[in-house]
């Protein structure tokens, strides 16, 4: 049985293993960031699936007794709490995490990021060939995520407010009932529903962009959200 | 002890005269106590209050309305006792039911206002546009009439959605700039009993609460009494079990409709509406809209004519996307457009990469570009 060091040494000395000078491997996404990311992914999938059914119940139960809508609503509500907690944790993490997970990666408060915002847009509009160098989120992605976070927060508030309708004497109502002083109940439902569709649109865009940049950058961007590591040329840091 | 004259007016002494025995009267009081969501032991207190209370004066004002709430009130259930309650109230001014007319009627109203301490019941919205010309009575605008009546009022009870929130006259485009009463007067306790029409039992119960406790019942953030608007239609609906099961009416008159299944897919707005219709029901408690097979249209919510329509679909139409733009069509459009858009983008990017097209931006990593924001 070889020791670990022995195995590492063996690999490092293997001439077939690529050891490109000038390439660094960085742990960009910390464990909490990755865990929260996949929690949100799972919650969004469940929430969109159950939410679509709640808006348009297509599974129809015949005369036999059933509890389909009741069950789906319970799942929706349970995953809504998971989603809400995950989003809150991620927001908290953006103040305590590493530099790539911080809030200033989303809100373009730094001038350089604003400059790169336009250049990144140029990349998407075929004006630039190379994707922008960024170990974490590129500035355009950051701003997109800012919009997504705002959408998610609105989704959480409207969703909890709609859930609170069932008990206007409850705690949930006393925290979210103010929504209905500003907007009609049906308007809140509509907004909640449209944000679901916008989120689906975002997911499509997000997966596509990740794959695209991964291909162009060869940085292992897609795998980085599983492993946390990106492999980047030093000059692209 | 109340004065002799008051005793004469009190309800207790007149029960027999109206052919109502005490048992029926107490039963009615018990019903009202239940409507008010008070514990049963309050029945006695309600009965005592109704028997001995002085005749309170009421001024019933009608503005931009259809008199539907008057109709509803005059047909309150238990006609025998209900009529008594009506008789108990000194309705000094009510355009639809008073015998007096013209100057005589206005004089009666002015006399009551001079006395003060009366209750104002308002039916219909107040038009604010063009100085209020769209509703004038006896040469005065609704705004003036309301302001005058509010001065000495002990309380204002808005019956129906129009006086509560503007109702149908306020629906877009609201040509008369109609508003609810609370947007015109302040400084008087105001309670809203929305509904199209307001339910007679809720009107009676509110009045009885006032007579029994000398105050208006507790309200929600929209000024509606909690006893009547504290629960959603959807949470008290007899079809709710079918909703939870997943048994829905898909077409008027289909098998599910005949079996009394849930009207959710037919656009029922019960999930968005606070009202006690399923509990106290209508027409002498025989039935109610959803009970009789039609979805709730949300008539007791502010701006229901604008926000609850289309009455037969689940979610409001989204304006600005064409007439048939339902939320789902737009949503699918968004999803499809993103997919197609990015698919095309991907192909274009691949071509760009192969052909080396696109303006050669400064190579990443060159000095000029060394401004990575992620740092
Ligand atoms: S009929 Fe309407 S109020 Fe009744 S359960 Fe169905 S959706 Fe709810
Ligand atoms: S069921 Fe709905 S629409 Fe019908 S009266 Fe009650 S609140 Fe109004």
């Amino acid at each position: 049985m070889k020791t670990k060091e022995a195995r590492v040494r063996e690999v490092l000395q293997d001439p077939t293993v690529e050891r490109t000078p000038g390439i660094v491997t960085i742990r960009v996404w910390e464990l909490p960031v990755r865990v929260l990311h996949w929690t949100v992914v799972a919650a969004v999938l469940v929430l969109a699936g159950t939410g679509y059914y709640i808006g348009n119940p297509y599974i129809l139960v015949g005369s036999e007794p059933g509890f389909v809508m009741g069950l789906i609503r319970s799942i929706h509500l349970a995953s809504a709490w998971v989603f809400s907690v995950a989003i809150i944790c991620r927001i908290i993490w953006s103040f305590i995490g590493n530099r790539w997970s911080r809030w200033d990666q989303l809100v373009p408060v730094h001038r350089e990021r604003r400059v790169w915002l336009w250049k990144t847009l140029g990349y998407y509009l075929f004006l630039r060939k190379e994707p922008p160098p960024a170990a974490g989120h590129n500035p355009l992605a950051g701003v997109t995520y800012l919009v997504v976070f705002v959408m998610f927060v609105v989704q959480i508030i409207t969703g909890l407010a709609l859930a609170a309708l069932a008990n206007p004497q409850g705690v949930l109502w006393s925290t979210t009932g103010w929504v209905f002083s500003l907007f009609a109940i049906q308007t809140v439902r509509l907004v909640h529903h449209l944000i679901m569709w916008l989120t689906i649109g975002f997911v499509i865009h997000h997966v596509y962009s990740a794959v695209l940049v991964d291909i162009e950058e060869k940085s292992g961007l897609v795998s980085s959200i599983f492993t946390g590591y990106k492999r980047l040329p030093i000059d692209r840091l | 002890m109340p004065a002799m004259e008051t005793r004469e007016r009190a309800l207790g002494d007149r029960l027999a005269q109206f052919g109502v025995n005490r048992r029926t009267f107490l039963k009615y009081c018990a019903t009202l106590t239940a409507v008010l969501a008070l514990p049963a032991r309050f029945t006695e207190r309600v009965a005592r209050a109704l028997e001995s209370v002085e005749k309170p004066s009421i001024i019933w004002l009608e503005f931009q309305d259809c008199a539907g709430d008057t109709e509803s009130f005059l047909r309150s259930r238990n006609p025998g006792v209900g009529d008594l309650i009506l008789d108990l109230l000194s309705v000094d001014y009510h355009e639809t039911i008073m015998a007096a007319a013209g100057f005589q009627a206005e004089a009666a109203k002015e006399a009551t206002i001079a006395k003060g301490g009366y209750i104002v019941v308002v039916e219909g919205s107040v038009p604010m546009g063009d100085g209020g010309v769209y509703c004038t009575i006896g040469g005065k605008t609704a705004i003036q009439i309301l302001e005058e009546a509010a001065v000495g009022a002990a309380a204002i009870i808005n019956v129906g959605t129009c006086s509560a929130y503007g109702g149908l006259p306020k629906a877009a485009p609201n040509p008369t700039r109609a508003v609810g009463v609370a947007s015109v007067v302040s400084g008087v306790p105001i309670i809203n009993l929305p509904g199209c029409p307001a339910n007679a039992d809720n009107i009676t119960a509110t009045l009885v609460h006032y007579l029994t406790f000398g105050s208006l019942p507790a309200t929600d953030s929209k000024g509606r009494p909690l006893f009547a608007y504290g629960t959603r239609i959807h949470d008290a609906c007899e079809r709710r079990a079918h909703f939870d099961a997943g048994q829905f009416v898909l077409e008027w008159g289909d098998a599910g409709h005949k079996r009394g299944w849930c009207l959710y897919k037919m656009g029922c707005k019960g999930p968005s509406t606070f009202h006690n219709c399923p509990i106290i029901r209508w027409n002498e408690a025989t039935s109610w809209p959803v009970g009789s097979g039609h979805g709730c249209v949300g008539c007791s919510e502010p701006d229901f004519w604008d926000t609850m329509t289309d009455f037969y679909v689940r979610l409001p139409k989204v304006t600005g996307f064409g007439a048939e733009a339902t939320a789902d069509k737009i949503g699918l459009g968004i999803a499809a457009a993103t997919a197609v858009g990015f698919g095309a983008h991907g192909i274009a990017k691949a071509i760009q990469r192969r052909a080396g097209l696109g303006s050669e931006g400064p190579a990443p990593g060159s000095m000029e570009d060394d401004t990575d924001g992620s740092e």
Side-chain angles (χ1 to χ4, degrees):
Chain A
M1 210 54 191
K2 287 177 202 150
T3 63
K4 188 170 179 197
E5 287 93 276
R7 267 183 287 134
V8 169
R9 220 175 304 119
E10 197 173 285
V11 170
L12 286 177
Q13 283 161 1
D14 184 343
T16 64
V17 171
E18 184 195 6
R19 278 184 310 280
T20 325
I23 296 262
V24 287
T25 304
I26 326 168
R27 198 186 62 142
V28 178
W29 314 124
E30 301 137 298
L31 184 66
V33 172
R34 282 174 281 146
V35 168
L36 289 173
H37 175 268
W38 291 110
T39 309
V40 169
V41 171
V44 163
L45 290 177
V46 174
L47 283 165
T50 51
Y52 181 80
Y53 177 85
I54 295 168
N56 177 24
Y58 50 87
I59 303 168
L60 300 167
V61 174
S63 322
E64 72 276 14
F67 192 60
V68 177
M69 177 59 101
L71 185 67
I72 288 180
R73 285 185 69 245
S74 317
I75 297 172
H76 190 76
L77 213 61
S79 29
W81 283 112
V82 171
F83 178 74
S84 309
V85 170
I87 293 298
I88 291 167
C89 288
R90 185 59 184 84
I91 291 173
I92 293 171
W93 192 259
S94 78
F95 290 94
I96 58 179
N98 71 13
R99 55 186 164 167
W100 295 290
S101 63
R102 289 189 95 81
W103 63 273
D104 64 359
Q105 300 293 293
L106 270 54
V107 191
V109 284
H110 305 302
R111 204 190 64 85
E112 322 89 81
R113 278 189 82 83
R114 283 198 294 273
V115 170
W116 266 106
L117 193 69
W118 301 113
K119 295 193 180 173
T120 313
L121 199 62
Y123 164 71
Y124 276 99
L125 296 177
F126 311 103
L127 299 173
R128 283 177 59 89
K129 244 190 107 191
E130 298 294 329
H137 305 304
N138 73 53
L140 183 62
V143 171
T144 311
Y145 301 148
L146 179 64
V147 174
V148 169
F149 263 97
V150 170
M151 255 163 53
F152 283 175
V153 169
V154 173
Q155 193 74 332
I156 290 169
I157 294 172
T158 51
L160 295 182
L162 289 169
L165 287 173
N167 181 14
Q169 275 79 46
V171 185
L172 203 50
W173 177 267
S174 45
T175 46
T176 58
W178 55 269
V179 170
F180 301 116
S181 310
L182 302 176
F183 304 100
I185 300 176
Q186 284 293 101
T187 311
V188 175
R189 279 189 203 290
L190 183 64
V191 167
H192 194 72
H193 195 83
L194 288 176
I195 291 181
M196 171 194 80
W197 282 115
L198 287 173
T199 306
I200 292 173
F202 164 73
V203 169
I204 295 170
H205 148 79
H206 183 63
V207 172
Y208 164 75
S209 292
V211 171
L212 173 77
V213 175
D214 186 299
I215 292 170
E216 304 236 316
E217 216 178 41
K218 300 186 183 61
S219 61
L221 187 148
V222 172
S223 65
S224 74
I225 196 59
F226 297 95
T227 63
Y229 289 94
K230 271 197 198 175
R231 207 171 149 273
L232 290 161
I234 284 179
D235 59 3
R236 283 187 60 83
L237 279 182
Chain B
M1 277 307 282
M4 197 53 212
E5 193 199 16
T6 316
R7 290 289 307 154
E8 248 177 39
R9 283 175 180 174
L11 183 69
D13 302 341
R14 310 180 61 164
L15 289 171
Q17 188 186 326
F18 273 81
V20 176
N21 62 30
R22 196 163 165 80
R23 190 187 175 81
T24 316
F25 174 66
L26 284 178
K27 229 170 104 184
Y28 182 64
C29 292
T31 312
L32 280 176
T33 310
V35 170
L36 281 167
L38 292 170
R41 66 192 150 85
F42 276 90
T43 303
E44 214 182 305
R45 183 147 172 208
V46 168
R48 244 186 294 129
L50 286 185
E51 278 174 328
S52 61
V53 79
E54 275 186 53
K55 213 167 175 166
S57 287
I58 289 199
I59 296 177
W60 187 300
L61 299 174
E62 285 185 68
F63 299 133
Q64 292 195 122
D65 73 328
C66 65
D69 302 289
T70 297
E71 289 290 338
S72 173
F73 188 51
L74 294 180
R75 273 145 194 75
S76 48
R77 76 167 148 194
N78 296 314
V81 198
D83 286 350
L84 265 182
I85 304 286
L86 205 56
D87 188 70
L88 176 73
L89 308 165
S90 170
V91 182
D92 295 348
Y93 184 90
H94 188 310
E95 280 152 14
T96 307
I97 59 171
M98 65 190 169
F103 293 116
Q104 211 186 351
E106 299 301 319
K109 189 176 77 183
E110 264 145 43
T112 308
I113 291 175
K115 267 194 296 167
Y118 48 89
I119 296 172
V120 178
V121 175
V122 186
E123 187 178 356
S125 65
V126 184
M128 304 296 279
D130 300 319
V133 295
Y134 300 112
C135 180
T136 59
I137 302 155
K140 286 179 185 167
T141 65
I143 309 167
Q144 282 173 300
I145 297 170
L146 182 59
E147 278 169 350
E148 281 172 22
V151 173
I156 297 180
I157 301 176
N158 292 325
V159 295
T161 305
C162 298
S163 55
Y165 309 124
L168 265 62
K170 187 177 173 241
N174 190 4
T176 65
R177 286 224 299 120
V179 295
V181 167
S183 313
V184 184
V185 292
S186 54
V188 190
I190 298 178
I191 197 163
N192 294 329
L193 301 176
C196 200
N199 193 314
D201 287 339
N202 290 335
I203 304 176
T204 317
T206 304
L207 287 167
V208 166
H209 187 285
Y210 182 79
L211 297 177
T212 308
F213 301 101
S215 64
L216 293 172
T219 57
D220 66 6
S221 63
K222 296 189 166 67
R224 304 174 290 195
L226 289 168
F227 76 79
Y229 303 87
T231 316
R232 254 188 327 174
I233 298 275
H234 187 56
D235 295 316
C237 177
E238 66 242 24
R239 298 179 186 235
R240 178 58 187 263
H242 297 296
F243 171 84
D244 288 332
Q247 294 166 323
F248 301 100
V249 176
L250 304 176
E251 228 179 289
W252 301 116
D254 68 5
H257 200 208
K258 286 177 187 142
R259 286 195 184 112
W261 286 359
C262 171
L263 296 158
Y264 186 78
K265 295 195 84 158
M266 304 306 287
C268 177
K269 300 301 183 300
S272 297
T273 310
F274 287 93
H275 210 168
N276 56 355
C277 305
I279 301 160
I280 64 165
R281 306 176 156 223
W282 293 80
N283 298 332
E284 294 173 33
T286 47
S287 188
W288 67 294
V290 171
S292 65
H294 190 282
C296 168
V297 300
C299 74
S300 55
E301 291 294 323
D303 301 322
F304 82 100
W305 199 263
D306 292 324
T307 67
M308 298 286 180
T309 44
D310 183 333
F311 289 148
Y312 300 102
V313 295
R314 173 87 196 102
L315 286 174
K317 294 258 164 68
V318 184
T319 45
F321 289 87
E324 279 309 299
T326 64
D328 276 332
K329 279 186 197 160
I330 292 170
L332 262 178
I334 294 171
T338 356
V340 170
F342 283 110
H345 188 271
I347 294 167
K349 266 289 174 198
I351 294 170
Q352 184 191 27
R353 197 162 50 242
R354 277 221 195 126
L357 296 172
S359 76
E360 280 305 320
S366 73
M367 288 307 286
E368 197 202 328
D369 270 15
D370 210 4
T371 45
D372 175 14
S374 69
E375 239 329 289

